[in-house]
């Protein structure tokens, strides 16, 4: 995308220009290129989606057979339309040299952009490092031996191949080490570079060289990558306050980790999937967070503001028309107050959420990440039950859902370990008897729609089935103008 005359052209200035000579990188050089801000955002989002797929499939317990796990990841990446990463992890299926460079350029730039997004805290840094290591491992496993050797050479690791003849001459004297692989699995390096492997007797030594099986080669390279990335993220954080001040991309790098990048659950005027006559029956398909709010509304005849927002927008996204929403809330609230008070204090907000008051914005339902990141005070019932509810209360809530004791314990374990969306996915599986079509639940309305489909309900085609526009994935930030290049934030990192 070319810059328009009104935009400020900024190039990325760094001492070393990267060469796009391999699909796999240790990301030691910040790319010395110029990209526009549409690319800045699009590439970062694409990589984040890949990292989230890796996390979700890992937490679902699919890693015992790594070959099957790899196939699952590649399948999901392809299904999500992440074609550039799909090409990279499949050994670089390129039409020409320019496409080759473009895919590798996206890989480099997206990694460095996400360093900014995930440098802000120990928790975010840990998440990013673990996901990048998983991606690195996946990509390494799919490389041919020649590509692995090329990678080792380009990164000055001093590993070299073991020829068939060389392997045969020493196979008899290798003892048990020879049983762990064949000549195609061994690399050799000066023994002084792998002292830990020598100490643990995991290598064969001969003529000053250590013969190392490729899994141990990867282990060493991976440890180097982890250590270097950890150090660079800390350095990145030291510059973050300066970089984030730029109004053109500051908001993006501050909030991308909280953004929702899935289906858009805004609804049209004629949506009629849900009605006040079917809502009680349909609540069987609600996620736990919304089912709890529905029960409280029916029993207490009132919800506080944040709970009304969370539940009201969910119902809107599920297809409840404005007129029926007003009837629902009025019928419940007027059991504790007169209709005049309801009309004066509450009806405006309901119309506002449907885009009929104020700025007339068609507000979208809250995503899982927005609910999880929100604050929940004492005596409030909104939020994510897997995060904002203590274990005992969550257990009691789950026990009312008619799911097995084993499933309850699995959900509690996931919740306690901070895997809230995977816990919700596990609840979906336990409640419906099958897994959702997605890798993990990312939105309450996604849970409802998937569950309704399984129960044979007719989900209206009016729901916007397209992916949310990737230039507006951050729910809480409107009209961000990224008329800047990637180079601008690198300039500030170098100050």
């Amino acid at each position: 995308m070319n810059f328009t005359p009104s935009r400020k052209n900024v190039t990325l200035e760094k001492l070393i220009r990267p060469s796009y000579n391999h699909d796999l990188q240790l990301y030691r050089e910040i790319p010395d290129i110029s990209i526009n801000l549409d690319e800045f955002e699009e590439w970062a989002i694409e990589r984040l989606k890949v990292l989230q797929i890796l996390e979700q499939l890992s937490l679902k317990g699919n890693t015992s057979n790594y070959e099957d796990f790899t196939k699952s990841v590649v399948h999901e990446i392809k299904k999500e339309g992440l074609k550039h990463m799909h090409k990279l992890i499949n050994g670089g299926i390129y039409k020409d040299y320019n496409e080759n460079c473009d895919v590798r350029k996206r890989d480099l730039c997206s990694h460095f952009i996400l360093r900014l997004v995930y440098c802000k805290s120990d928790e975010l840094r840990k998440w990013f490092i673990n996901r990048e290591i998983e991606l690195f491992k996946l990509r390494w496993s799919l490389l041919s031996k020649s590509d692995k050797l090329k990678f080792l050479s380009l990164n000055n690791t001093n590993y070299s191949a073991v020829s068939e003849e060389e392997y045969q001459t020493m196979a008899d004297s290798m003892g048990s080490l020879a049983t762990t692989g064949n000549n195609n699995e061994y690399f050799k390096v000066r023994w002084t570079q792998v002292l830990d492997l020598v100490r643990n007797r995991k290598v064969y030594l001969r003529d000053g060289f250590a013969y190392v099986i490729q899994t141990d080669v990867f282990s060493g390279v991976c440890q180097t990558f982890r250590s270097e990335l950890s150090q660079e993220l800390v350095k990145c954080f030291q510059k973050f306050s300066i970089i984030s001040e730029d109004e053109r991309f500051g908001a993006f790098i501050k909030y991308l980790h909280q953004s929702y990048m899935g289906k858009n659950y805004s609804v049209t005027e004629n949506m009629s999937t849900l009605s006040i006559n079917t809502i009680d029956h349909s609540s069987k398909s609600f996620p736990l967070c919304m089912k709890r709010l529905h029960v409280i509304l029916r029993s207490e005849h009132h919800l506080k503001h944040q709970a009304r927002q969370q539940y009201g927008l969910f119902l809107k996204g599920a297809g409840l028309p404005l007129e029926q929403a007003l009837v629902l809330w009025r019928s419940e609230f007027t059991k504790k107050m007169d209709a005049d008070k309801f009309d004066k204090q509450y009806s405006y907000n309901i119309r506002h959420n449907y885009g009929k008051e104020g700025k007339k914005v068609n507000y979208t339902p809250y995503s899982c990440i927005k609910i999880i990141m929100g604050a929940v005070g004492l005596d409030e019932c909104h939020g994510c039950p897997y995060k904002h509810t203590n274990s005992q209360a969550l257990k009691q809530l789950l026990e009312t859902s008619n799911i097995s004791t084993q499933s309850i314990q699995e959900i509690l374990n996931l919740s306690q370990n901070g895997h809230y969306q995977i816990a919700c996915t596990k609840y979906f599986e336990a409640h419906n008897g099958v897994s959702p079509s997605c890798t993990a639940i990312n939105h309450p309305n996604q849970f409802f729609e998937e569950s309704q489909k399984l129960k044979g309900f007719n989900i209206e085609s009016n729901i916007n089935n397209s992916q949310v526009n990737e230039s507006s994935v951050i729910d809480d930030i409107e009209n961000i103008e990224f008329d800047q290049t990637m180079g601008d934030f690198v300039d500030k990192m170098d100050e």
Side-chain angles (χ1 to χ4, degrees):
M1 184 175 189
N2 296 324
F3 287 107
T4 61
S6 62
R7 288 188 173 188
K8 180 182 177 183
N9 291 1
V10 183
T11 58
L12 194 156
E13 298 174 0
K14 190 66 180 172
L15 295 177
I16 305 174
R17 178 181 297 274
S19 57
Y20 310 122
N21 49 11
H22 204 283
D23 285 339
L24 192 60
Q25 296 284 338
L26 289 178
Y27 307 102
R28 287 170 168 165
E29 304 168 3
I30 299 177
D32 180 15
I33 58 176
S34 176
I35 65 174
N36 64 56
L37 286 164
D38 289 334
E39 293 170 330
F40 183 97
E41 182 179 359
E42 178 188 340
W43 297 358
I45 291 169
E46 180 182 62
R47 190 181 196 90
L48 181 54
K49 286 181 177 181
V50 172
L51 299 184
Q52 290 175 340
I53 287 171
L54 281 164
E55 177 189 39
Q56 291 161 1
L57 288 177
S58 295
L59 291 173
K60 290 184 76 173
N62 296 338
T63 58
S64 55
N65 185 318
Y66 196 73
E67 184 177 349
D68 289 344
F69 172 73
T70 299
K71 290 179 180 178
S72 297
V73 174
V74 173
H75 173 74
E76 287 298 323
I77 289 174
K78 184 177 182 179
K79 188 175 80 172
E80 290 295 320
L82 306 172
K83 59 181 181 179
H84 296 94
M85 185 58 71
H86 187 261
K87 288 178 180 178
L88 271 179
I89 64 178
N90 277 285
I93 306 171
Y94 309 110
K95 293 181 180 178
D96 54 43
Y97 177 78
N98 289 331
E99 184 182 6
N100 182 325
C101 290
D102 179 60
V103 171
R104 292 174 178 176
K105 180 173 69 174
R106 293 171 74 104
D107 174 49
L108 284 163
C109 293
S110 63
H111 171 86
F112 281 99
I113 296 169
L114 290 191
R115 281 191 185 185
L116 274 179
V117 176
Y118 285 91
C119 73
K120 300 185 287 288
S121 69
D122 288 339
E123 182 180 6
L124 290 177
R125 288 192 288 269
K126 180 180 178 181
W127 186 91
F128 181 63
I129 290 170
N130 288 339
R131 301 294 82 76
E132 283 288 335
I133 292 296
E134 288 173 357
L135 179 58
F136 186 83
K137 180 180 179 181
L138 176 82
R139 292 169 64 182
W140 169 272
S141 70
L142 294 171
L143 291 177
S144 65
K145 184 174 183 181
S146 61
D147 282 334
K148 289 174 181 175
L149 283 169
K150 183 179 179 181
F151 171 85
L152 295 171
S153 175
L154 289 170
N155 289 282
N156 300 317
T157 60
N158 298 320
Y159 282 91
S160 59
V162 176
S163 66
E164 173 74 20
E165 181 181 357
E166 188 175 10
Y167 175 77
Q168 292 299 331
T169 60
M170 62 184 187
D172 292 340
S173 58
M174 290 179 72
S176 61
L177 287 173
T179 65
T180 60
N182 54 49
N183 61 304
N184 290 324
E185 295 176 320
Y186 281 95
F187 300 85
K188 68 178 182 179
V189 66
R190 287 290 177 183
W191 70 274
T192 53
Q193 292 187 242
V194 287
L195 293 178
D196 285 345
L197 295 177
V198 173
R199 186 180 301 112
N200 293 316
R201 300 187 178 187
K202 298 183 71 175
V203 297
Y204 174 70
L205 298 176
R206 179 177 177 177
D207 297 332
F209 285 95
Y211 291 79
V212 186
I213 195 169
Q214 67 165 299
T215 52
D216 289 328
V217 173
F218 173 75
S219 178
V221 173
C222 194
Q223 183 56 44
T224 297
F225 181 39
R226 179 184 293 274
S227 176
E228 292 180 359
L229 181 55
S230 179
Q231 294 174 31
E232 291 302 316
L233 285 171
V234 173
K235 292 179 183 177
C236 195
F237 175 64
Q238 293 170 353
K239 301 291 185 180
F240 181 79
S241 60
I242 300 172
I243 299 165
S244 62
E245 290 175 359
D246 194 301
E247 61 182 13
R248 292 167 291 187
F249 56 67
F252 181 78
I253 62 175
K254 282 181 181 177
Y255 299 109
L256 178 62
H257 70 285
Q258 299 180 14
S259 63
Y260 168 68
M261 293 176 285
K263 186 174 181 177
N264 181 4
Y265 287 97
S266 297
V267 296
T268 57
E269 288 291 334
N270 60 352
M271 171 62 71
S272 58
T273 303
L274 195 65
S275 72
I276 54 175
N277 295 324
T278 62
I279 190 170
D280 288 319
H281 183 69
S282 296
S283 67
K284 297 175 182 178
S285 298
F286 287 4
L288 204 58
C289 57
M290 300 304 172
K291 185 180 292 185
R292 177 173 62 176
L293 294 177
H294 179 74
V295 170
I296 293 173
L297 176 64
R298 288 299 202 198
S299 60
E300 301 294 328
H301 314 300
H302 188 271
L303 290 175
K304 293 185 177 181
H305 175 72
Q306 289 298 333
R308 293 198 305 274
Q309 287 293 100
Q310 180 175 315
Y311 187 50
L313 288 172
F314 166 78
L315 294 177
K316 173 177 177 258
L320 187 67
L322 171 59
E323 295 75 14
Q324 294 194 33
L326 286 167
V327 172
L328 171 69
W329 291 101
R330 182 182 286 109
S331 66
E332 291 299 332
F333 275 47
T334 53
K335 292 174 182 177
K336 283 191 170 182
M337 65 181 69
D338 58 52
D340 186 57
K341 181 178 179 180
F342 174 84
D343 290 336
K344 289 180 178 179
Q345 296 186 16
Y346 299 99
S347 62
Y348 176 90
N349 182 250
I350 297 169
R351 294 195 303 273
H352 186 270
N353 283 345
Y354 278 78
K356 301 301 180 182
E357 301 287 356
K359 294 182 179 180
K360 298 186 176 181
V361 175
N362 187 22
Y363 290 96
T364 59
Y366 291 179
S367 65
C368 288
I369 193 66
K370 184 167 183 176
I371 293 172
I372 289 168
M373 298 301 292
V376 178
L378 294 174
D379 300 323
E380 292 187 305
C381 58
H382 66 283
C384 172
Y386 308 105
K387 179 182 180 181
H388 299 117
T389 306
N390 64 55
S391 296
Q392 186 58 38
L394 176 59
K395 182 179 180 181
Q396 293 174 356
L397 190 61
L398 291 168
E399 287 173 343
T400 65
S401 301
N402 297 320
I403 61 176
S404 70
T405 302
Q406 180 182 350
S407 295
I408 290 174
Q409 190 56 53
E410 290 176 355
I411 293 168
L412 289 172
N413 291 340
L414 288 165
S415 174
Q416 290 165 3
N417 289 317
H419 305 310
Y420 310 119
Q421 289 168 249
I422 304 300
C424 187
T425 306
K426 182 63 68 174
Y427 172 74
F428 181 100
E429 294 172 355
H431 183 65
N432 291 288
V434 296
S435 300
S437 62
C438 53
T439 53
I441 297 297
N442 294 302
H443 200 292
N445 289 89
Q446 175 194 28
F447 185 110
F448 174 66
E449 182 182 84
E450 293 264 347
S451 185
Q452 287 273 280
K453 287 177 180 177
L454 290 172
K455 290 178 172 25
F457 286 82
N458 179 29
I459 304 297
E460 295 288 336
S461 60
N462 301 48
I463 293 180
N464 182 2
N465 286 317
S466 63
Q467 294 293 316
V468 66
N469 188 327
E470 291 187 349
S471 64
S472 58
V473 297
I474 305 174
D475 294 338
D476 298 327
I477 306 172
E478 297 179 5
N479 302 320
I480 301 174
E481 296 183 2
F482 296 119
D483 53 346
Q484 182 67 316
T485 69
M486 184 179 176
D488 214 18
F489 77 78
V490 179
D491 294 343
K492 295 185 178 181
M493 288 182 69
D494 292 335
E495 291 178 359

